[in-house]
Each structure stands twice: as structure tokens, then as C-alpha cells.
Amino acid sequence: LNHLLDRSRWGDLKIDIPYVVSNAERGPDHPVRRALEDAGIEYIYIRMDGRERSEWETDLRAAVSTAPDVDVLILARFMRILSPSFLSWRAPHSIVNIHHGLLPSFKGANPYRQAYDAGVKLIGATAHFVTEDLDEGPILEQTVDVTTHRDTVRDVRIKSEALECAALERAVRCVTENRVGVIGQRTVVFR
């Protein structure tokens, strides 16, 4: 999020961010909330735990509807599956997701530790359009880096997060500049 905010503020990425919707409650002193407030961006919290999907999706639709001209929704650390109804409510290929490339091998809590313990040599990130199938939408961007025996769990996490930032920025740039075509499950990205 901070990476996109910085790129937008510096004029490197031609996007307007009217709001951030989160399923993680952040207090007013949380760094994310402070960054959003400094940028004049609304923070909207939607509680999802313990609720039916239809309930929180109704709240999500209402939040998204506050700025109806938003072309692209970006999901980051959003660990929920959107319903076909919600997906059909948005224009096709208008929701982008980013996740580390440690899936599907390392799921659940602390995938960086799992990857480190397994001695992985390549880590990465994937940005893709959201579809009804979890993490299987047409791929927009992928990034990779190597790890070595000298890397710590912290190093693996930091490298992985940097890869996520780079992949997401390039994906958002291509989508917002209308440089992506979708043919079936594949994308054609014009560089």
C-alpha cells in the first residue's frame, strides 16, 4: 500500500486512491491509518470474521460504491474468496490480487518461515486478475529473486515483500494504462 501511495504521490503512477477498505481493524495511530490520513485517503474497516460472506460483501459493495468511478479494485492481504455475484457486479478484469509466490507450497501462518525451513532457492510474487477460482485468474505480472544459505527468515520476508510491491506496481500500471488484453485465461501485456 505504501509503495502505491508513494508512486502516486510522486507522479510515477497515474492513479487516484479514494479509499482503502480493510478487513484488518487498524487503530487511528497505526502507521497505515496515519499514512492514509496524511494522503487524504478514507480508511474503511469491514469486519469479516464470524460473518457470512453475503453480509460482508454487502458492506464491501456499499464501500466501493462511495466512489463509483473507481476502475480497478486492488486486493492485498485480502484472504477471502469473492462470490460470483460480487465479481459479476464489477466490470470483467477490474479486480487485481497480489500474493507472494510461496503459494501453494507454503500456506497458512508464516509462509516465510516455512520457505526458509524448506531451503527454497527461488521466491516470487504474482499479480493476477481475480476470478471465482482462488488465485487462478489471468496473470498480469510475476517477479522472482534468489535466496541463499546466508539469508535469514527476515531476509526472505523482506525480499518477498519487495517482489510483491514491484509486481503489484507493474500490474496496476499496465491495467490503468489499458495495456492488458485477456484471451481466455491468458493475458497479453503490452510493455
Side-chain angles (χ1 to χ4, degrees):
L1 174 63
N2 285 328
H3 184 76
L4 292 180
L5 291 173
D6 287 344
R7 291 290 188 233
S8 175
R9 183 173 45 244
W10 298 333
D12 297 334
L13 190 59
K14 306 289 189 227
I15 60 172
D16 293 317
I17 304 170
Y19 53 76
V20 169
V21 179
S22 178
N23 61 328
E25 191 169 17
R26 313 265 189 225
D29 292 330
H30 190 278
V32 168
R33 291 284 298 272
R34 288 199 313 264
L36 293 173
E37 186 175 318
D38 291 346
I41 298 170
E42 182 181 6
Y43 172 83
I44 303 167
Y45 167 66
I46 297 176
R47 184 178 63 82
M48 296 182 183
D49 290 338
R51 297 176 70 199
E52 295 292 323
R53 179 168 57 180
S54 61
E55 293 174 315
W56 59 257
E57 277 191 354
T58 297
D59 292 345
L60 183 57
R61 281 184 205 222
V64 169
S65 296
T66 63
D69 58 340
V70 168
D71 296 320
V72 180
L73 295 181
I74 301 167
L75 307 181
R77 305 208 189 278
F78 185 83
M79 305 300 289
R80 298 287 189 266
I81 298 173
L82 295 170
S83 71
S85 172
F86 187 91
L87 294 173
S88 66
W89 173 71
R90 293 285 304 169
H93 308 115
S94 67
I95 305 175
V96 174
N97 187 25
I98 181 71
H99 57 78
H100 55 73
L102 304 175
L103 294 172
S105 298
F106 306 107
K107 300 176 185 174
N110 205 342
Y112 311 109
R113 162 61 72 183
Q114 295 176 52
Y116 173 83
D117 289 344
V120 299
K121 302 301 182 215
L122 286 175
I123 57 174
T126 298
H128 61 88
F129 284 122
V130 174
T131 64
E132 294 177 26
D133 300 312
L134 181 63
D135 294 333
E136 293 185 21
I139 294 170
L140 294 160
E141 185 66 49
Q142 291 181 299
T143 54
V144 295
D145 198 357
V146 297
T147 63
T148 72
H149 63 280
R150 292 185 298 269
D151 287 325
T152 64
V153 173
R154 182 176 184 268
D155 295 329
V156 171
R157 180 186 54 79
I158 289 170
K159 285 182 178 184
S160 186
E161 289 173 351
L163 292 169
E164 289 178 51
C165 288
L168 183 58
E169 178 190 345
R170 288 197 296 263
V172 168
R173 181 181 309 281
C174 289
V175 170
T176 59
E177 293 176 357
N178 296 312
R179 294 190 287 120
V180 178
V182 179
I183 303 168
Q185 277 298 105
R186 297 177 57 103
T187 58
V188 176
V189 180
F190 299 95
R191 303 270 178 211

